[in-house]
Amino acid sequence: PYSYWRGPVWINANAFIAYGLAAMDLKEEAIDVAQRIVSLLADGLRRNPREAREGKAWRECYSSDDGRDLAADGFLNWNTLAGSLLSNLRTGKNPFDLSYTQDGATSRTYII
């Protein structure tokens, strides 16, 4: 049976995982997760060409069994994280990195 939080693939959670892996110097694994996210969203566009033209092809979450669409058609909120995810990981940019420099020393805090 469908459970809102138990089982579905959530783009936002997987983006956080990818950035976390990269922060732990596991860049290859981070890029693998990111490529899976981008592929999942691209598959959604291919599966739903009419909905893609109407801006309704992406969903809030996806089945972890077969990638099928689940919940909230036209969901563009955190799915847009995928737009820069691969390039960010390849260049070492983490939008959740709250680094700052004070007195010549860099402090780093992560949201994730």
Side-chain angles (χ1 to χ4, degrees):
Y2 172 72
S3 171
Y4 203 63
W5 283 105
R6 291 185 176 178
V9 173
W10 296 85
I11 302 304
N12 58 334
N14 280 276
F16 289 141
I17 289 168
Y19 284 118
L21 288 167
M24 295 172 26
D25 292 326
L26 297 169
K27 187 174 180 178
E28 187 176 318
E29 291 84 349
I31 289 174
D32 180 58
V33 170
Q35 287 172 329
R36 290 170 188 252
I37 291 169
V38 171
S39 292
L40 181 64
L41 293 172
D43 288 346
L45 295 175
R46 283 191 287 273
R47 267 193 317 275
N48 306 301
R50 179 183 52 78
E51 290 181 355
R53 286 189 299 277
E54 297 170 359
K56 297 180 180 179
W58 287 346
R59 301 301 195 273
E60 187 174 11
C61 58
Y62 297 85
S63 169
S64 58
D65 293 326
D66 58 13
R68 79 182 182 290
D69 304 333
L70 299 174
D73 66 336
F75 194 83
L76 293 176
N77 196 331
W78 53 61
N79 292 345
T80 59
L81 287 168
S84 57
L85 183 59
L86 279 167
S87 63
N88 283 348
L89 292 171
R90 289 182 176 131
T91 60
K93 180 179 178 185
N94 182 341
F96 303 104
D97 179 355
L98 302 176
S99 297
Y100 64 93
T101 303
Q102 183 175 354
D103 299 325
T106 299
S107 277
R108 180 164 275 164
T109 304
Y110 292 99
I111 294 173
I112 54 177

